[in-house]
Amino acid sequence: MRPDVNQIKEEIRQYSDLLQQLENEVYKVLIGQKHLYSRILIALLTNGHILLEGLPGLAKTTAIKTLSDCTNTKFQRIQFTPDLLPADLIGTQIYNPKDGDFSVKQGPIFANIVLADEINRAPAKVQSALLEAMQEHQVSIGEETFHLDQPFLVMATQNPIEQEGTYPLPEAQVDRFMLKVQVGYPNREEERKIMDRFTEEDDFSLKPILSKEDIFAMRNTIKKIYIDDKVKDYIVDLVFATREPEKFSSKGLLYPASELKVADHNAVDIPFGDLIENGASPRATIYLTLASKAVAFLEGRGYVTPQDVKNVAQNILGHRILITYEAEANEITSTDIVNILLREVPVP
């Protein structure tokens, strides 16, 4: 049965003042980075983990810490380093000689919002321990299993893998992140505001705006947002175009030679099948649907449009497409591939 869009819209309107208060509070500290803020908020409101990638000093950590300060939740920041151990993350068992027994000391993972700072500087064992928490919302210490409190989100930052001392994240872990956001430099005007604000002030007192109950209530509203069957089919088409690009036109989807970055006068259009090693997983379909609903929610609508899907497709699909050596040789990135998919896959 089709939900009442007007009723959903009225339900969304109840949160508009709260969301505006949240934005005003966050921007006491954050300058610019509207795209970054909206993506972190989407992750929070859809129970999805988020990965931020960018060079050091671009406010990745600041953005996450600021938003967490504006929510009435437990926050933990974990600095990932090459010598970090799984026990430093999830906790360990401690022997008590007086009782002759072991007790569990819980680690910093036991929080609502966990900032995994420079996540790709930690070794594989730590990544494995984090993987269980992200997927199952539980951790194992010794023979005991502990469920994590809700909401539970991992908001991670990473430096580009070309940076010294970084490890590429395993594909299985990257897939657990609902969204990945590339963080760039601020523009000149924003840079000037940053200079003024952080050289003249050092006390940014933030108050919590969102409670856990607010977050849960917004999540329930987002799930109710109407999405038409044609838009659902469009989402599935986008995901399947990363796996079976040959089925989307008579010649299959092609990467135009005119858009190749490598100068070659004899270049021809390249079939997408030669560029994509592995396409997006079913998680991409689920996350693309939820994120599109969240975009509609933040814009005050009770229904999803194809443009909502396009707005978040790059953040959902980009890190799930594994490119081939041929793509690398032609300097084609997964970002380039998603951009052409959005242009070529028919929109309802």
Side-chain angles (χ1 to χ4, degrees):
M1 186 176 74
R2 176 171 174 166
D4 187 337
V5 173
N6 291 327
Q7 184 178 343
I8 296 171
K9 185 176 180 180
E10 186 59 36
E11 199 171 323
I12 293 171
R13 191 178 291 119
Q14 297 174 14
Y15 302 111
S16 59
D17 289 343
L18 197 60
L19 290 170
Q20 188 59 57
Q21 291 176 40
L22 177 66
E23 184 173 331
N24 293 341
E25 200 70 15
V26 166
Y27 276 93
K28 287 181 180 179
V29 177
L30 200 62
I31 295 174
Q33 301 289 13
K34 293 281 187 182
H35 180 77
L36 173 59
Y37 168 71
S38 70
R39 282 359 185 212
I40 296 176
L41 191 55
I42 286 171
L44 180 66
L45 297 180
T46 54
N47 196 25
H49 309 295
I50 184 169
L51 178 64
L52 312 182
E53 181 177 278
L55 294 168
L58 296 181
K60 302 185 298 296
T61 302
T62 300
I64 294 172
K65 178 68 167 63
T66 301
L67 185 61
S68 69
D69 287 344
C70 296
T71 61
N72 195 14
T73 55
K74 185 179 179 182
F75 172 78
Q76 285 282 7
R77 178 182 182 271
I78 307 169
Q79 181 64 50
F80 279 54
T81 57
D83 60 348
L84 195 72
L85 298 173
D88 299 326
L89 182 69
I90 64 174
T92 188
Q93 290 182 317
I94 298 176
Y95 179 70
N96 188 338
K98 185 176 180 180
D99 301 332
D101 201 1
F102 287 91
S103 61
V104 172
K105 179 177 174 57
Q106 295 182 345
I109 198 72
F110 288 87
N112 300 120
I113 298 177
V114 175
L115 168 54
D117 213 1
E118 297 188 303
I119 188 174
N120 59 334
R121 290 195 183 279
K125 284 186 177 181
V126 176
Q127 305 294 354
S128 177
L130 183 61
L131 195 61
E132 181 187 6
M134 290 174 64
Q135 180 62 24
E136 307 296 337
H137 289 199
Q138 66 180 32
V139 295
S140 300
I141 304 175
E143 296 181 355
E144 292 186 77
T145 298
F146 298 86
H147 292 280
L148 300 168
D149 290 339
Q150 293 299 315
F152 173 74
L153 292 97
V154 173
M155 296 186 175
T157 71
Q158 72 170 6
N159 298 326
I161 58 173
E162 296 82 8
Q163 295 273 301
E164 189 172 345
T166 59
Y167 302 80
L169 295 179
E171 287 84 355
Q173 185 165 2
V174 172
D175 193 48
R176 259 69 174 192
F177 285 101
M178 178 182 189
L179 303 126
K180 181 180 178 182
V181 182
Q182 297 285 346
V183 184
Y185 288 112
N187 61 37
R188 185 181 180 85
E189 181 182 350
E190 291 167 349
E191 188 96 12
R192 177 58 189 269
K193 289 180 180 178
I194 292 169
M195 180 182 70
D196 290 341
R197 184 172 299 179
F198 288 91
T199 55
E200 295 172 2
E201 300 179 52
D202 56 9
D203 180 23
F204 299 100
S205 53
L206 300 173
K207 59 183 180 182
I209 303 296
L210 292 187
S211 65
K212 291 182 183 180
E213 291 71 25
D214 293 328
I215 294 171
F216 295 141
M218 289 182 186
R219 287 179 179 179
N220 287 333
T221 300
I222 286 171
K223 289 177 182 178
K224 298 176 190 175
I225 288 176
Y226 174 68
I227 179 166
D228 190 81
D229 286 341
K230 291 182 180 179
V231 179
K232 290 180 181 179
D233 289 339
Y234 177 56
I235 290 172
V236 174
D237 284 345
L238 281 173
V239 174
F240 265 75
T242 69
R243 305 177 199 166
E244 302 173 349
E246 68 281 355
K247 295 185 178 180
F248 282 81
S249 69
S250 57
K251 296 181 179 179
L253 286 171
L254 301 172
Y255 192 98
S258 59
E259 297 190 22
L260 293 176
K261 300 180 183 72
V262 177
D264 183 356
H265 297 296
N266 298 316
V268 295
D269 297 345
I270 306 176
F272 265 58
D274 295 340
L275 302 176
I276 302 174
E277 185 72 34
N278 291 320
S281 70
R283 281 195 189 95
T285 309
I286 297 167
Y287 288 153
L288 194 49
T289 304
L290 283 173
S292 301
K293 288 186 173 188
V295 171
F297 174 83
L298 294 175
E299 293 188 359
R301 277 185 282 102
Y303 60 92
V304 175
T305 68
Q307 188 58 48
D308 295 332
V309 179
K310 287 188 172 189
N311 284 344
V312 289
Q314 190 64 256
N315 303 115
I316 302 290
L317 297 176
H319 60 293
R320 291 185 163 84
I321 296 175
L322 187 63
I323 60 175
T324 63
Y325 289 116
E326 183 171 355
E328 291 183 13
N330 286 282
E331 298 183 10
I332 298 171
T333 66
S334 59
T335 300
D336 298 325
I337 289 172
V338 174
N339 285 336
I340 293 182
L341 289 178
L342 293 175
R343 192 176 70 198
E344 297 297 329
V345 173
V347 179

